[in-house]
């Protein structure tokens, strides 16, 4: 065991040394954005953090997906309000003071704000509900949650998306991509693989060795018209047309909203026009099969 720990520490020290040399180079040529990203990598490496950024177009269901993974509706989703900031989901152990909400501002003179992660506080600080000043003033929002996945040192990152409706959405998303270790790209089943999707993937492929592709909202596919398999097939054709030299990667079809309905303690209406919000154990189990 000691031998493995020593080897791990040696690899860590080597990587930190390389990062420091890279940082010095970018400082010399004045690439401050690169310097900032490397500093974040150094910090994450020291802390043992591994960040996974969720990227996708507007309304692909990124926030709903993260809510389903966490088992409750923490981030605003399936509303007219959209994600406006970079949002970090970290384990409660990472909180510096036991508070569950942390807001960092773009102006270095503005002190970090701490509070409790109520739905009201989250909504007004992470979504367009808070107005243009959210994008202009807030650098990031961190939620500290008690999750077995997050306890493993994983940080999940919700992004506004590269075609967000507010000015500045694309910029903050690109900046976060530079700072993350892995990426999940999310397609919407209603339009699986638009030109802008693949333009984004081309950019991401320059940054990440492995990108996990997720096809969300398969519960919205009209079974009378097509199947999940046919939608995946259409996505495959579009992908190979845009990337003819690539092997087609695995696609993970999911239905994030039914999964959230199944897992949360909140009574949510399943969007089948039934208006039903009360779901017994069997119904919740069925939602997970979608």
């Amino acid at each position: 065991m000691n031998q493995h720990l020593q080897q791990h520490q040696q690899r860590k020290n080597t990587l930190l040394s390389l990062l420091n040399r890279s940082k010095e180079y970018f400082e010399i040529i004045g690439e401050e954005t690169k310097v900032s990203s490397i500093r974040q990598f150094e910090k994450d490496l020291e802390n043992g953090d591994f960040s996974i950024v969720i990227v996708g177009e507007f309304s692909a269901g990124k926030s709903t997906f993260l809510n389903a993974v966490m088992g409750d509706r923490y981030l605003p989703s399936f509303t007219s309000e959209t994600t406006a900031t970079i949002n970090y989901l970290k384990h409660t152990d990472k909180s510096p003071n036991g508070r569950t909400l942390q807001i960092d501002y773009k102006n270095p003179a503005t002190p970090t704000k701490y509070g409790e992660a109520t739905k009201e506080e989250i909504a007004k600080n992470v979504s367009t509900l808070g107005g243009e000043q959210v994008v202009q003033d807030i650098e990031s929002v961190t939620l500290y949650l008690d999750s077995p996945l997050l306890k493993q040192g994983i940080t999940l990152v919700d992004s506004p998306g590269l075609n967000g409706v507010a000015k500045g959405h694309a910029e903050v998303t690109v900046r976060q991509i530079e700072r993350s270790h892995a990426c999940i790209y999310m397609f919407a089943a209603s339009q699986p693989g638009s030109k802008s999707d693949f333009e984004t993937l081309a950019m991401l492929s320059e940054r990440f060795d492995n990108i996990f592709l997720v096809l969300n909202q398969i519960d919205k596919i009209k079974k009378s018209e097509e199947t999940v398999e046919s939608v995946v097939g259409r996505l495959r054709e579009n992908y190979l047309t845009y990337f003819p030299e690539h092997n087609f990667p695995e696609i993970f079809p999911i239905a994030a909203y039914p999964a959230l309905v199944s897992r949360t303690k909140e009574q949510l209406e399943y969007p089948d026009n039934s208006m039903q919000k009360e779901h017994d154990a069997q119904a919740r189990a069925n939602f997970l099969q979608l």
Side-chain angles (χ1 to χ4, degrees):
M1 176 62 72
N2 289 335
Q3 180 182 359
H4 289 297
L5 289 174
Q6 289 174 0
Q7 290 175 348
H8 171 72
Q9 188 61 46
Q10 288 173 354
R11 287 194 295 268
K12 179 177 177 180
N13 291 339
T14 299
L15 184 54
L16 284 170
S17 176
L18 291 171
L19 286 172
N20 187 58
R21 288 164 57 188
S22 298
K23 182 177 64 177
E24 290 174 349
Y25 168 76
F26 286 119
E27 285 175 339
I28 291 172
I29 65 174
E31 288 280 357
E32 190 54 41
T33 300
K34 297 289 187 183
V35 172
S36 176
S37 297
I38 292 173
R39 284 177 181 153
Q40 186 63 51
F41 270 124
E42 289 176 324
K43 181 179 177 181
D44 291 342
L45 189 59
E46 289 284 8
N47 295 336
D49 290 337
F50 186 84
S51 62
I52 304 175
V53 62
I54 317 299
V55 182
E57 298 208 340
F58 170 71
S59 293
K62 300 183 295 297
S63 297
T64 302
F65 167 74
L66 287 172
N67 285 334
V69 171
M70 293 297 100
D72 205 351
R73 187 154 64 100
Y74 296 102
L75 298 166
S77 59
F78 50 88
T79 69
S80 59
E81 306 303 332
T82 61
T83 301
T85 62
I86 292 295
N87 307 309
Y88 299 100
L89 277 58
K90 298 185 177 184
H91 192 262
T92 50
D93 291 346
K94 297 288 185 179
S95 175
N97 53 20
R99 308 302 290 274
T100 55
L101 178 69
Q102 175 180 326
I103 304 171
D104 290 291
Y105 296 90
K106 294 180 179 178
N107 185 346
T110 304
T112 297
K113 178 181 176 182
Y114 294 95
E116 299 307 320
T118 64
K119 285 184 171 59
E120 293 75 15
E121 281 295 306
I122 294 171
K124 74 179 184 181
N125 287 292
V126 309
S127 76
T128 51
L129 178 67
E132 291 186 4
Q133 67 270 21
V134 170
V135 177
Q136 295 172 356
D137 298 341
I138 296 178
E139 176 69 20
S140 64
V141 176
T142 304
L143 306 182
Y144 295 100
L145 307 174
D146 186 12
S147 159
L149 177 64
L150 301 180
K151 193 172 180 63
Q152 299 178 40
I154 292 174
T155 296
L156 296 174
V157 189
D158 189 23
S159 68
L162 293 170
N163 65 334
V165 294
K167 182 179 179 181
H169 278 181
E171 289 80 1
V172 295
T173 299
V174 170
R175 190 161 60 246
Q176 181 55 43
I177 288 170
E178 286 281 339
R179 299 175 179 177
S180 297
H181 304 97
C183 174
I184 294 175
Y185 191 85
M186 186 164 292
F187 296 97
S190 58
Q191 189 178 12
S194 64
K195 179 181 178 182
S196 54
D197 275 321
F198 294 125
E199 289 174 346
T200 302
L201 278 174
M203 181 268 291
L204 291 172
S205 65
E206 297 177 359
R207 169 65 185 82
F208 299 104
D209 291 331
N210 291 306
I211 302 171
F212 301 96
L213 303 184
V214 171
L215 177 66
N216 192 19
Q217 302 173 352
I218 62 170
D219 54 308
K220 294 184 179 181
I221 296 173
K222 295 182 179 180
K223 296 181 180 179
S224 60
E225 298 178 4
E226 54 186 345
T227 64
V228 174
E229 290 75 17
S230 65
V231 174
V232 171
R234 184 149 46 95
L235 178 55
R236 178 194 298 271
E237 292 177 3
N238 293 339
Y239 183 95
L240 292 177
T241 298
Y242 203 91
F243 301 111
E245 72 284 4
H246 289 192
N247 292 321
F248 184 69
E250 183 175 2
I251 301 288
F252 298 93
I254 65 168
Y257 181 59
L260 174 60
V261 174
S262 173
R263 299 191 65 192
T264 182
K265 295 178 181 178
E266 184 179 350
Q267 294 297 328
L268 299 178
E269 176 192 350
Y270 181 69
D272 59 358
N273 298 321
S274 67
M275 304 298 290
Q276 182 178 350
K277 292 188 177 182
E278 299 287 338
H279 310 292
D280 59 24
Q282 184 57 55
R284 288 174 178 269
N286 291 340
F287 291 152
L288 285 177
Q289 302 304 315
L290 295 175

